[in-house]
Amino acid sequence: MTRFARFPVWAFAFSVYFGVSTCYFSIPLRIYPGKFNVSRERGGLTPLRLGAVKSDGDGLSLASDPAGTVSFLDMVDNLQGDSGRGYYIEMSLGTPGQKLNILVDTGSSNFAVAAAPHPFITHYFNTELSSTYQSVGRSVAVRYTQGNWEGELGVDQVSIPKGPNGTIRINIAAILSSDGFFLPGINWQGILGLAYPLLARPDSTVEPFFNSVVKQLGIANMFSLQMCGAGLSTSSTADPPAGSLIMGGAELTLYRGPVWYTPIVEEWYYQVEVLKLEVGDQNLNLDCREYNADKAIVDSGTTLLRLPVSVFSAVVEAIARSSLIQEFSSGFWDGTKLACWMKGENPWKFFPKLSIYLRATNTSQSFRITILPQLYIQPITDVDGTLDCFRFGISSSANGLVIGATVMEGFYVVFDRAQKRLGFALSSCAVLDGLALSEIAGPFSAADVAADCSGRLLKEPLLWAISYALMAVCAVVLIVLLLVLLLPCRCRDRSGEITDESSLVRHRIK
């Protein structure tokens, strides 16, 4: 999962560049598991009274009864953290309730919590102390790009103090051992996967958390996220209220202007279709299929904006060309160095805006979401009170394009599962010193791009099934050949092990 950075003053090697009335310092980055980073059976219940829900005319659920099950105002500011340490929500597990902080992750589907002591967490879910916990006798393991955990599946009651009213019975993965999953400096003890059943481990029969909430509480099949850590330095030790997870709809006070919708291409990750990217006013002019190579997803559990290698290279080249800083260190782009300016300087004025065009629900059109450099040139720490240091909030990816917290912090994102679409609106908290950090515009014609940029690649579980089938066929052919060529002989059974990397996208280097 995550790799963290610390920056001892004695280790800083300074290169000084002059240009555009400021000094630029290049600082090598030391990597360690530190505090600045975060890379992720049902039971019958007594029916609860539901709050009245109305529509905004565009299929968006809005609460009208603050006393009912759906009370969106009660959910405002229920998240803490930031993009580096992760955004987490307080939940109560078991009977009597044990309170834990749970990382909100739209890029996975398991609800998993620490169920054993770990040196990097302060407390865990003790299943033996819960009278309602039941083990289902199945093991589960998830391996991320960085980090992994193993445990057992169980079922227990869960409630959210600042969530929908009521207690639900949820599938829980009790984490018994892990490597690189829990890290120093984090303040969460589990992960809340909000994606679709297709990503659930060990298989899609494990009903994800939000599916259970919708079934048992009868809320609308949608949720929305506001993440408010933009512009905050991770050198701060406190985790202030930093966002909202609204289950059942959207809260009007959390966004400005209209909600622009893009179709969900496939229901596994929240996969969308990216049509083009612009750096400033410059179109990268890449084939739209390059933006969607493998997949393009929206994932709150990923810190950075992650781009396929060819797209990342084009973006860096365009930013470097349009930036006012001469001879910018290559280490800044690849994440091995920080850029530091004298305190009081404004580095963001040297960098262009970055825009992503998404296909609209009217597929012949698109709309554009734009982030200012304040969102992708991110404050990390200060040095001796004289320098402010920043990191590049974009990285290359071998697993597709990931719209992570770098972009999501600029928008209020509506996950409208009922109508198979994602909505983007301007976030009310994406403002720094009175300046809005994000923009939305449209509609634009999509006639200049392919009718299908996503490629509609086969989903992973289907690929696994095909792989197993091909392996079986190959094994049969091999056995027949051995029998024909080597008889009489004693043939030994050979079995191979397939390592499931689970392909859950994680690359969080704050």
Side-chain angles (χ1 to χ4, degrees), residues 120-404:
F120 297 152
I121 59 176
T122 56
H123 56 289
Y124 62 95
F125 177 47
N126 191 332
T127 58
E128 295 183 357
L129 297 182
S130 175
S131 61
T132 49
Y133 177 81
Q134 292 181 326
S135 172
V136 300
R138 298 180 68 189
S139 61
V140 58
V142 173
R143 182 181 299 277
Y144 300 91
T145 302
Q146 297 176 344
N148 62 84
W149 54 260
E150 298 180 359
E152 67 169 17
L153 286 177
V155 180
D156 208 342
Q157 296 185 165
V158 175
S159 63
I160 307 174
K162 298 190 71 174
N165 294 333
T167 300
I168 45 187
R169 197 153 177 83
I170 296 294
N171 290 306
I172 299 175
I175 299 174
L176 301 177
S177 63
S178 64
D179 180 21
F181 182 73
F182 299 111
L183 297 165
I186 62 169
N187 194 26
W188 46 266
Q189 299 84 38
I191 185 168
L192 174 58
L194 290 171
Y196 292 98
L198 211 53
L199 292 184
R201 301 294 185 263
D203 55 57
S204 59
T205 63
V206 178
E207 185 175 74
F209 174 89
F210 194 69
N211 293 62
S212 298
V213 172
V214 171
K215 285 184 180 180
Q216 296 180 36
L217 298 185
I219 66 173
N221 189 18
M222 67 173 67
F223 63 90
S224 50
L225 264 176
Q226 183 190 54
M227 300 158 67
C228 298
L232 299 179
S233 171
T234 56
S235 61
S236 62
T237 55
D239 285 351
S244 305
L245 170 61
I246 308 297
M247 299 186 189
E251 170 51 47
L252 288 172
T253 61
L254 300 181
Y255 65 93
R256 297 176 285 111
V259 180
W260 294 79
Y261 289 97
T262 184
I264 295 174
V265 175
E266 297 287 351
E267 295 173 299
W268 55 327
Y269 298 97
Y270 290 100
Q271 183 179 351
V272 296
E273 191 176 2
V274 175
L275 303 190
K276 63 180 178 180
L277 265 67
E278 288 180 348
V279 174
D281 296 325
Q282 177 186 349
N283 185 352
L284 295 184
N285 288 318
L286 299 177
D287 187 315
C288 67
R289 293 177 182 84
E290 292 191 57
Y291 302 124
N292 300 276
D294 190 42
K295 56 187 172 290
I297 66 173
V298 178
D299 179 11
S300 66
T302 293
T303 297
L304 307 180
L305 169 61
R306 306 196 65 214
L307 302 173
V309 175
S310 62
V311 180
F312 176 75
S313 298
V315 166
V316 168
E317 181 181 347
I319 294 177
R321 187 166 53 246
S322 61
S323 170
L324 300 177
I325 298 176
Q326 302 299 315
E327 300 180 8
F328 211 96
S329 169
S330 62
F332 176 69
W333 308 119
D334 63 25
T336 59
K337 294 182 180 180
L338 298 179
C340 297
W341 281 264
M342 297 299 296
K343 271 194 174 298
E345 290 286 349
N346 176 9
W348 297 308
K349 64 186 178 184
F350 305 124
F351 296 91
K353 299 176 182 179
L354 180 64
S355 298
I356 300 173
Y357 286 75
L358 298 169
R359 192 179 295 279
T361 48
N362 178 346
T363 56
S364 65
Q365 297 179 332
S366 68
F367 64 94
R368 179 181 68 212
I369 59 175
T370 299
I371 59 172
L372 272 63
Q374 284 87 337
L375 288 175
Y376 71 85
I377 304 298
Q378 301 169 341
I380 295 295
T381 187
D382 63 357
V383 181
D384 283 345
T386 61
L387 296 175
D388 285 326
C389 297
F390 299 78
R391 66 102 178 264
F392 191 44
I394 305 173
S395 71
S396 62
S397 166
N399 297 315
L401 187 150
V402 185
I403 297 175

Side-chain angles (χ1 to χ4, degrees), residues 479-491:
I479 291 173
V480 171
L481 288 175
L482 288 174
L483 290 174
V484 171
L485 297 176
L486 302 178
L487 279 177
C489 72
R490 295 181 62 186
C491 296

Side-chain angles (χ1 to χ4, degrees), residues 387-452:
L387 296 175
D388 285 326
C389 297
F390 299 78
R391 66 102 178 264
F392 191 44
I394 305 173
S395 71
S396 62
S397 166
N399 297 315
L401 187 150
V402 185
I403 297 175
T406 291
V407 176
M408 293 181 70
E409 286 178 341
F411 302 95
Y412 187 69
V413 185
V414 179
F415 295 78
D416 187 352
R417 295 153 53 107
Q419 299 194 52
K420 199 177 176 182
R421 61 184 185 171
L422 290 187
F424 290 82
L426 296 175
S427 172
S428 61
C429 69
V431 178
L432 186 63
D433 297 328
L435 176 68
L437 304 182
S438 56
E439 303 169 357
I440 299 184
F444 305 101
S445 171
D448 60 336
V449 297
D452 183 3

